[in-house]
Amino acid sequence: METQDTSAKDTSLNDLRGVLVLGPDGKQVAASGIALQPEIANRITSGWQDVRRRQRRLFSVEAPDGDPVVVVVLPSSDATVFVAMERDSRDALFEFVGAVDFAGDILAHFLTNPFEALAVVDRDAIIRYMSPVHERFFGLRPGAGVGRHTTEVIENSRLDRVVETGKSEIGLLHEMRGVTRVVARHPIRNSRGELVAAIGQIMFKGPEQLQALSSEVSKLKSEVAFYRRELSDLRNRSYGLDQMVGDSLAMQRLKQQIVKVAPLDVPVLLTGESGTGKELAAHAIHKLSPRRDGTMVMVNAAALPATLVESELFGYEAGSFTGAERKGRKGKIEQADGGSLFFDEVGDTPAEVQVKLLRVLQDGTFQRVGGNDLRRSNFRLISASNRNFEAMIAEGTFRLDLFYRIGGVTIRLPALRERLEDIPLLADLALKQFADRHGQRAKKLSDDALVLLQSQRWPGNVRQLMHTVERAAIFGEGDVIEPSDFGIIDAEPGDTLATPVPQATDSLPAPLISGARQPMLVSSAVEQVEEQLIRQAMAKFNGNKKRVAAELGISRSYLYKRLAQMGFGAEAET
């Protein structure tokens, strides 16, 4: 049935919206409003032919004046109805209803959801709607609360306050009929920003639900923190006990001592020569201790400037001295609160600082530089030193009472010469790490090279061994490192063990071969090799000692020392 004639005069409807009805054959059956305009009707029909292949129920066309016209499609078996609206801006509700076939079901869910009871009031706080679950809770018949002020129906209601202030109230506790619930209240504004209503919703049926959610979040946070620690442990595995390389009896004993002392909250003093791995042992103790989740702060007393020792250890207040940070700064001791403090080279601590350090170890209190307030820090002290404490105490350079404080448990790290059987493992580790850093294939050590390494006394211990092996990996030409690839191993004369020289005589210099029939100590052999190599290099570079040292891979100070021993005298220093 045609309706153009009866609808053409309705200008208010024509200005905004219209309806177009197409029959099963696609021909126009009826039209009203803006759909009376043939051009708009044609555009709606053409647009529908395009979008129905994509099963869309909402599309837009352009009016003759250029304004957008949004069209909602309502298909049925005997006709297709198009509801059109010309508008300047987006209407979320219009789009939602038009785009979602089951929009009504979703809206009904929000209105009747038993877990989110809903109440709606107008700008005068008069109830306009209450969800059925709300009505049942208050013992009301359906619709009995509508038209009444919210305070008459809902106990302790604040919806009147929300429409008055226009401010939301989220996550507040609401006491209703002896039941506590967690609610949210929101002001509602129209498209012009005018407050027109307010709604109240139940977020949780009780604080217990909120507490359960909080507990679950806390649990998840704990799990995340755990996996972060595990990841950190994987990244820092070089500091773990498993990476303290060595199967010798000395290393087995050391590891057993660490495992026993780590769980005990007592100070530990690590002693031993330089390069034996005291820092590695300190990290292992921290990782195995109950303080593993805390920070391990490192202090090297020997590296601290004398004028800054106190400020570095105890921190300072703002304006304590020129150049101080404006807000002051925490010292190492304060940073270690809850964790461990690794005090390396503790034997080099200045006397005036020893007194203050003793006080911290006694009661955990200290004062920042320039401050008067007593501060506390709960940390575990792990100290390390290669000094002779007995001699220092006798000389008066180290306090006896401080020694007793730091040395609750003393663990001595064995020198490398005391565990020569670990050298193959350490050397392989050095080669693997070197290869990994530089993206190369790891080299191997020949049996003769291992014999040479195990014949040294290694005054620099593991650190010296690692550097020596890396140097051989750099200058060695083949995939297998031979004794000749080591050049001269930096050591004091006589610092080699009395081990027979390997029989690979084809790699030894001629003077050494000629004397190989006579009994010879490795120390003498090494001296002869060094002397011959130095003489050959001096001749090659016309006495240029800088180039000789570079060629041989030794320091110039060691070259001067050897030249003096070889009889070059004062000219060695020129």
Side-chain angles (χ1 to χ4, degrees):
M1 182 180 70
E2 298 287 344
T3 60
Q4 286 97 331
D5 294 339
T6 59
S7 303
K9 298 179 181 179
D10 190 351
T11 56
S12 61
L13 185 64
N14 292 347
D15 290 341
L16 296 175
R17 58 183 68 89
V19 175
L20 175 67
V21 182
L22 300 181
D25 57 359
K27 294 183 178 180
Q28 181 174 318
V29 175
S32 66
I34 59 175
L36 289 171
Q37 303 177 39
E39 188 172 354
I40 290 183
N42 291 336
R43 293 184 181 184
I44 291 175
T45 304
S46 299
W48 168 237
Q49 299 298 329
D50 178 54
V51 302
R52 69 177 173 177
R53 291 192 298 271
R54 290 174 283 173
Q55 297 183 340
R56 291 177 56 184
R57 297 291 182 266
L58 181 72
F59 65 96
S60 63
V61 297
E62 189 175 290
D65 59 2
D67 290 337
V69 175
V70 177
V71 182
V72 177
V73 185
L74 304 175
S76 65
S77 58
D78 56 353
T80 302
V81 179
F82 301 91
V83 179
M85 183 192 310
E86 186 175 355
R87 58 204 176 116
D88 296 328
S89 60
R90 299 184 64 180
D91 187 315
L93 181 60
F94 187 83
E95 291 186 4
F96 174 69
V97 174
V100 182
D101 295 338
F102 42 87
D105 298 323
I106 294 177
L107 291 175
H109 166 78
F110 286 126
L111 296 176
T112 60
N113 182 3
F115 302 103
E116 297 179 356
L118 180 70
V120 180
V121 300
D122 60 19
R123 70 180 67 189
D124 297 320
I126 303 299
I127 295 176
R128 294 300 185 90
Y129 175 81
M130 289 184 70
S131 59
V133 66
H134 234 9
E135 292 176 329
R136 289 194 296 270
F137 179 79
F138 288 107
L140 298 173
R141 296 188 309 275
V146 176
R148 300 167 60 184
H149 196 275
T150 179
T151 56
E152 298 177 14
V153 179
I154 301 176
E155 182 182 355
N156 298 321
S157 175
R158 287 181 55 85
L159 287 175
D160 54 330
R161 179 65 178 168
V162 172
V163 294
E164 179 183 345
T165 63
K167 295 181 179 180
S168 297
E169 296 180 351
I170 310 297
L172 298 184
L173 298 179
H174 188 179
E175 295 283 345
M176 294 181 291
R177 305 188 70 183
V179 177
T180 302
R181 293 180 173 179
V182 183
V183 302
R185 306 180 183 98
H186 303 276
I188 304 299
R189 301 180 185 276
N190 60 19
S191 58
R192 295 182 296 276
E194 300 168 345
L195 193 146
V196 295
I199 62 173
Q201 274 184 301
I202 292 178
M203 298 174 61
F204 300 97
K205 283 198 170 183
E208 297 79 11
Q209 288 182 299
L210 187 60
Q211 181 63 38
L213 178 62
S214 177
S215 299
E216 187 66 22
V217 171
S218 297
K219 180 181 176 182
L220 293 174
K221 286 183 177 179
S222 298
E223 291 180 1
V224 170
F226 169 77
Y227 288 118
R228 282 178 176 172
R229 290 196 301 270
E230 289 295 306
L231 178 60
S232 177
D233 287 343
L234 289 175
R235 290 174 176 171
N236 299 319
R237 184 168 289 179
S238 59
Y239 292 132
L241 187 63
D242 293 340
Q243 295 303 313
M244 295 184 67
V245 178
D247 295 327
S248 62
L249 289 177
M251 285 301 294
Q252 291 179 24
R253 184 165 52 251
L254 172 63
K255 292 178 182 179
Q256 290 172 359
Q257 292 175 336
I258 290 176
V259 169
K260 286 183 178 180
V261 76
L264 307 176
D265 203 15
V266 296
V268 179
L269 174 61
L270 303 173
T271 63
E273 298 177 6
S274 178
T276 52
K278 293 187 286 296
E279 181 179 336
L280 190 64
H283 277 282
I285 292 173
H286 174 72
K287 290 292 184 181
L288 294 173
S289 75
R291 297 174 180 264
R292 67 178 67 91
D293 295 333
T295 304
M296 178 169 172
V297 179
M298 301 177 61
V299 178
N300 189 323
L304 289 175
T307 56
L308 298 178
V309 173
E310 289 193 50
S311 61
E312 285 293 319
L313 289 181
F314 305 110
Y316 55 82
E317 298 291 355
S320 299
F321 51 85
T322 303
E325 295 181 11
R326 292 173 55 187
K327 296 183 179 180
R329 184 179 178 184
K330 289 183 178 181
K332 300 292 187 181
I333 289 175
E334 196 169 350
Q335 294 172 26
D337 186 27
S340 300
L341 177 67
F342 176 47
F343 211 116
D344 199 10
E345 304 297 348
V346 67
D348 295 323
T349 307
E352 61 274 13
V353 178
Q354 292 182 28
V355 178
K356 296 186 177 182
L357 183 60
L358 180 62
R359 178 180 177 181
V360 177
L361 299 180
Q362 285 175 338
D363 56 16
T365 62
F366 65 96
Q367 288 178 323
R368 287 184 177 181
V369 174
N372 297 318
D373 297 335
L374 276 180
R375 298 175 180 267
R376 289 187 175 275
S377 180
N378 178 15
F379 62 90
R380 185 204 190 149
L381 180 66
I382 305 174
S383 306
S385 180
N386 59 2
R387 304 288 294 273
N388 186 335
F389 283 99
E390 291 184 3
M392 288 192 297
I393 292 172
E395 296 169 359
T397 57
F398 198 87
R399 295 178 62 97
L400 178 61
D401 47 2
L402 179 58
F403 174 74
Y404 286 139
R405 286 288 179 181
I406 67 174
V409 175
T410 301
I411 297 178
R412 177 183 172 275
L413 276 71
L416 184 56
R417 62 180 173 276
E418 300 173 25
R419 55 186 188 104
L420 294 174
E421 58 268 42
D422 292 331
I423 285 182
L425 293 175
L426 291 167
D428 285 343
L429 177 63
L431 291 173
K432 183 180 183 304
Q433 291 178 344
F434 177 81
D436 291 343
R437 285 199 306 271
H438 300 283
Q440 301 175 357
R441 186 172 61 181
K443 295 184 177 183
K444 300 292 184 181
L445 288 166
S446 69
D447 293 340
D448 291 341
L450 283 174
V451 170
L452 175 62
L453 294 179
Q454 289 180 309
S455 71
Q456 306 298 309
R457 294 192 63 84
W458 301 109
N461 293 292
V462 177
R463 187 182 297 119
Q464 181 188 4
L465 172 67
M466 304 293 269
H467 291 169
T468 300
V469 173
E470 288 186 0
R471 185 174 63 191
I474 294 172
F475 294 108
E477 298 295 338
D479 292 335
V480 178
I481 296 176
E482 299 293 345
S484 58
D485 294 326
F486 289 104
I488 298 175
I489 298 176
D490 294 336
E492 295 294 329
D495 270 352
T496 51
L497 300 177
T499 305
V501 179
Q503 296 302 311
T505 55
D506 56 337
S507 64
L508 298 178
L512 185 57
I513 296 174
S514 63
R517 296 179 182 177
Q518 301 297 326
M520 180 178 292
L521 297 178
V522 171
S523 58
S524 301
V526 172
E527 287 184 22
Q528 289 189 26
V529 173
E530 285 185 355
E531 183 174 336
Q532 181 165 346
L533 291 174
I534 290 173
R535 291 184 185 277
Q536 290 175 353
M538 290 287 285
K540 178 180 178 180
F541 295 108
N542 297 320
N544 188 321
K545 299 174 186 61
K546 180 178 180 180
R547 298 185 64 183
V548 169
E551 172 74 9
L552 298 177
I554 61 177
S555 65
R556 275 191 283 176
S557 60
Y558 182 75
L559 175 61
Y560 295 149
K561 179 179 179 180
R562 292 295 286 123
L563 288 173
Q565 292 172 348
M566 291 163 56
F568 281 78
E571 66 178 81
E573 302 296 333
T574 61

